[in-house]
């Protein structure tokens, strides 16, 4: 299997200033893989580490797994503030193209902003399946709609991060990065009806980051003939894929089962 594209990704990460090993992109190739690959896409101000537990589980079940690192993550908030959504899209599409060139069937799993990028990839390519963890079309904070204006005067939003998490999450969130998220979510809101990929959505009522009901709105808007949604309760946080979620193992189980199911659905060409 040609992994030169991934070596370039790791070199770029190192050159960009990623120093912690767990913040690097990862590629897991089982000795006897099942012909399926899964792209994992982390969230805003996070790193590939956020999706590592799911990646390890999929690897144990013979999936090839690519944990992407979105540009500007695992480095500094200043670096993230300089990134455009097109840079994030390019990273995901590079991995997709490399995996499909190997003749693999490719699916994708994204969390939060990574879920938006997963939807965008499904809109423009053929994915076997997608899983959206805590996806959104609207953020809970009422000022999110006005962030383009606010970013001219306020550069960062302070977020409380534990000492143990500081190596893996930014405590300062660049508002210019939220501007890029808005560009993506506003575009996707108009294009959900053009996405036909089999989809699993997992979200929670305890999510304080995204607006209530926004995951259900995505579910209703998708044109997928095969789609499922499960909403966890008030005690479940935004970070569904990490150990901070008391239902993490249930999330991982649902993801594995959905990706392992054989689904028959006509392929709808993308433009």
């Amino acid at each position: 299997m040609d992994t030169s594209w991934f070596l370039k990704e790791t070199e770029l990460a190192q050159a960009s200033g990623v120093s912690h090993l767990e913040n690097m992109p990862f590629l897991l190739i089982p000795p006897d893989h099942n012909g399926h690959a899964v792209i994992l896409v982390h969230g805003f101000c996070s790193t590939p580490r956020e999706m590592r537990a799911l990646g390890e589980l999929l690897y144990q079940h013979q999936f090839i797994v690519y944990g992407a690192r979105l540009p500007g993550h695992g480095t500094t908030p200043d670096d993230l503030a300089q990134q455009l959504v097109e840079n994030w899209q390019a990273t995901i599409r590079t991995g997709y193209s490399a995996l499909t060139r190997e003749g693999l069937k490719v699916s994708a799993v994204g969390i939060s902003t990574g879920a938006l990028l997963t939807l965008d990839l499904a809109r423009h390519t053929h994915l076997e399946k997608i899983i959206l963890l805590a996806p959104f079309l609207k953020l809970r904070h009422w000022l999110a709609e006005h962030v383009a204006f606010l970013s001219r005067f306020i550069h960062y939003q302070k977020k409380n991060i534990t000492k143990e998490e500081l190596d893996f999450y930014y405590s300062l969130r660049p508002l210019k990065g939220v501007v890029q998220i808005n560009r993506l979510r506003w575009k996707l809101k108009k294009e959900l009806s053009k996405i036909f990929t089999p989809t699993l959505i997992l979200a929670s009522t305890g999510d304080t980051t995204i607006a209530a009901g926004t995951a259900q709105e995505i579910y209703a808007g998708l044109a997928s003939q095969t789609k499922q949604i499960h909403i966890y309760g008030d005690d479940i946080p935004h970070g569904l894929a990490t150990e901070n979620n008391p239902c993490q193992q249930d999330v991982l189980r649902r993801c594995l089962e959905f990706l392992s199911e054989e689904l028959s659905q006509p392929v709808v060409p993308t433009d």
Side-chain angles (χ1 to χ4, degrees):
M1 180 174 177
D2 179 15
T3 59
S4 59
W5 62 276
F6 178 72
L7 293 177
K8 290 180 181 178
E9 288 292 329
T10 58
E11 290 171 358
L12 176 61
Q14 292 171 337
S16 298
V18 179
S19 57
H20 200 293
L21 182 61
E22 291 185 71
N23 292 338
M24 296 289 286
F26 59 87
L27 181 64
L28 308 177
I29 306 175
D32 186 20
H33 66 77
N34 61 12
H36 292 254
V38 183
I39 300 172
L40 303 182
V41 192
H42 64 79
F44 185 63
C45 289
S46 183
T47 72
R49 176 181 181 269
E50 182 176 33
M51 304 296 278
R52 187 77 191 207
L54 177 56
E56 295 286 355
L57 177 63
L58 294 175
Y59 169 79
Q60 291 169 13
H61 287 80
Q62 311 310 313
F63 288 89
I64 292 175
V65 182
Y66 167 46
R69 182 195 72 95
L70 302 178
H73 293 79
T75 54
T76 66
D78 289 342
D79 180 24
L80 181 53
Q82 305 304 314
Q83 302 296 330
L84 300 176
V85 68
E86 286 83 2
N87 299 340
W88 303 338
Q89 292 169 322
T91 295
I92 305 305
R93 292 177 185 181
T94 294
Y96 171 83
S97 297
L99 293 168
T100 54
R101 282 197 301 270
E102 297 291 333
L104 299 167
K105 296 181 178 181
V106 180
S107 298
V109 184
I111 186 167
S112 193
T113 299
L116 298 186
L117 290 163
T118 296
L119 279 169
D120 178 73
L121 185 63
R123 169 70 182 92
H124 297 286
T125 67
H126 170 67
L127 290 170
E128 297 295 315
K129 306 173 189 178
I130 58 174
I131 299 177
L132 311 175
L133 306 179
F136 61 91
L137 292 176
K138 185 177 181 181
L139 292 163
R140 185 175 291 268
H141 201 298
W142 67 276
L143 287 175
E145 301 297 324
H146 310 286
V147 73
F149 174 76
L150 292 173
S151 65
R152 302 177 188 177
F153 312 101
I154 304 171
H155 300 303
Y156 297 97
Q157 174 197 25
K158 177 70 175 179
K159 182 176 175 62
N160 292 327
I161 300 293
T162 66
K163 183 178 179 181
E164 293 75 22
E165 294 178 319
L166 281 176
D167 287 335
F168 313 112
Y169 298 90
Y170 292 153
S171 60
L172 294 177
R173 297 187 167 206
L175 267 63
K176 286 185 177 179
V178 182
V179 171
Q180 299 304 309
I181 294 174
N182 283 350
R183 290 179 58 209
L184 183 57
R185 66 185 177 92
W186 290 338
K187 176 185 175 185
L188 283 170
K189 189 171 185 177
K190 303 174 183 178
E191 298 190 339
L192 290 178
S193 63
K194 300 176 183 178
I195 298 174
F196 297 84
T197 312
T199 303
L200 170 65
I201 297 176
L202 301 178
S204 75
T205 56
D207 193 327
T208 59
T209 299
I210 64 178
T214 189
Q216 292 91 328
E217 182 182 358
I218 292 173
Y219 175 81
L222 289 171
S224 309
Q225 294 180 16
T226 301
K227 56 182 179 179
Q228 304 172 22
I229 186 169
H230 179 78
I231 307 297
Y232 293 96
D234 293 345
D235 58 334
I236 304 304
H238 182 66
L240 293 177
T242 67
E243 63 275 8
N244 293 330
N245 173 14
C247 287
Q248 182 199 32
Q249 293 306 310
D250 187 71
V251 169
L252 301 188
R253 176 187 62 80
R254 288 176 184 271
C255 290
L256 174 62
E257 289 180 354
F258 183 75
L259 291 170
S260 299
E261 289 174 356
E262 289 296 330
L263 299 178
S264 58
Q265 178 169 314
V267 174
V268 178
T270 57
D271 57 22

